[in-house]
Amino acid sequence: MSCHASDRTLAVLGAAAAALLAAAPAAALGACEVELLVLGTSQDGGTPQFGRWQDPAWEQPSAARLSLGLVDHRRGARWLFEATPDVRRQGYDLARLAGPQASDAPILDGVFLTHAHIGHYTGLMFLGHESLGARGVPVHTLPRFADFLRDHGPWSQLVAYENIRLEPMTAGGIQALGPRLNVTAFAVPHRQEYAEVAGFRIEGPEAAALFIPDIDSWEQWDAWGVRIEDVLAEVDIAFLDATFFANGEIPGRDMSGFPHPFVSHSMARFAPLPKRERAKVHFIHFNHTNPLRDPTSPPAEQVRAAGFHVAEQGDRHCLGRPHR
């Protein structure tokens, strides 16, 4: 099993991102009123990872860390889900997708953060006075995470300088973003060194999406009284934790205790589901060892043959179309 994406695949990823930037605004306006954009698919360490000097990705356009963009074309509003260290480029991609905006419009209408691991929130630093110098960008998190940002530097400086405005959400609480556009936060079991961990349900006018980039295991969520199958049944698209494909992909390490569900295990668990339910699943958040980095790899073909999807940077999903 290959640990690295091929040169050809990485070039394809770069070409797809370029095509997205060139075509997105014209294609999106009028065709879709509310849409989600996959701005990155990699795990926190990024691709390539520091110290992996033999990775061919150093010589090719690399895949960005995991992020989703949400665009309401009706109002020209846009939000980020996760603020990664790649947020500058992801913000640019999102701006191009959202299209022209008024000169006094905010760069971002808000950011939703799942948890306090480095690939998910440290991009907030680019909202500070050393970079964007943003004014009052709403940052939506669960309460402990909001406290962490308020009480610990350098994030507390963003609060003190009013670059960001913390907007704590309760588990089960709904944040209304516009007409028939809501985000609901919920708690998931995952390492909580600094704060709790959230997932999000993003509900548009015609479709809803589920976003769970990190979770310890589906079985641990079962113990909390929540079955992923039941949550999946209530949405149309689900971006699910696929950090590792299977035990053994990191040489010399027993990965059985790693706090992520292997893709191989998720596929086995979801195999009894009807085809329409399996088709909702888009695996995302790939470690640099995960063969799904290469969408042409045999494991990626295996995922698709089983009725699931491999998320790719540049994917777009419509949550609401204009009524005619």
Side-chain angles (χ1 to χ4, degrees), residues 102-319:
S103 59
D104 59 347
I107 298 295
L108 282 173
D109 291 86
V111 179
F112 288 84
L113 302 176
T114 58
H115 64 299
H117 291 163
I118 65 168
H120 298 262
Y121 81 103
T122 54
L124 289 177
M125 61 188 173
F126 290 105
L127 301 182
H129 73 280
E130 300 93 340
S131 183
L132 177 61
R135 301 301 301 169
V137 175
V139 174
H140 306 275
T141 74
L142 289 177
R144 281 182 53 213
F145 196 180
D147 291 342
F148 171 80
L149 294 171
R150 182 183 297 108
D151 298 339
H152 295 83
W155 322 111
S156 56
Q157 181 172 281
L158 299 174
V159 179
Y161 287 6
E162 299 183 344
N163 302 123
I164 65 174
R165 184 177 75 249
L166 297 175
E167 299 281 354
M169 300 178 69
T170 58
I174 298 175
Q175 179 67 49
L177 301 181
R180 300 169 67 200
L181 181 58
N182 302 299
V183 175
T184 303
F186 51 87
V188 299
H190 189 54
R191 296 182 293 114
Q192 301 185 22
E193 297 92 341
Y194 300 108
E196 69 277 82
V197 179
F200 294 108
R201 173 190 164 98
I202 307 159
E203 186 170 6
E206 297 178 334
L210 181 67
F211 184 50
I212 307 177
D214 283 271
I215 191 169
D216 284 347
S217 72
W218 306 123
E219 288 70 30
Q220 191 167 341
W221 217 19
D222 291 343
W224 285 18
V226 183
R227 296 181 71 251
I228 178 58
E229 292 85 353
D230 297 334
V231 181
L232 187 63
E234 298 178 350
V235 298
D236 303 279
I237 310 156
F239 300 98
L240 301 185
D241 185 348
T243 307
F244 302 103
F245 186 79
N247 197 351
E249 75 183 57
I250 299 181
R253 295 187 65 179
D254 176 10
M255 301 169 59
S256 58
F258 279 27
H260 297 277
F262 297 133
V263 174
S264 58
H265 173 72
S266 295
M267 289 198 298
R269 171 157 176 161
F270 301 153
L273 293 176
K275 181 179 180 180
R276 66 179 180 278
E277 293 296 293
R278 286 179 277 125
K280 296 177 180 180
V281 174
H282 293 248
F283 289 115
I284 202 166
H285 194 258
F286 308 129
N287 192 57
H288 69 285
T289 58
N290 193 325
L292 297 187
R293 279 179 53 193
D294 180 350
T296 67
S297 67
E301 294 292 344
Q302 178 185 346
V303 167
R304 288 188 287 267
F308 307 102
H309 299 276
V310 177
E312 296 186 47
Q313 192 170 330
D315 285 352
R316 295 165 64 180
H317 300 274
C318 189
L319 302 185

Side-chain angles (χ1 to χ4, degrees), residues 20-69:
L20 165 71
L21 293 177
L29 294 174
C32 185
E33 289 187 330
V34 178
E35 67 177 333
L36 278 174
L37 169 69
V38 177
L39 300 173
T41 62
S42 291
Q43 177 262 5
D44 301 45
T47 302
Q49 283 207 2
F50 186 83
R52 303 289 294 187
W53 312 130
Q54 75 279 21
D55 194 318
W58 292 112
E59 305 300 326
Q60 299 286 346
S62 60
R65 292 167 179 85
L66 175 139
S67 178
L68 298 181

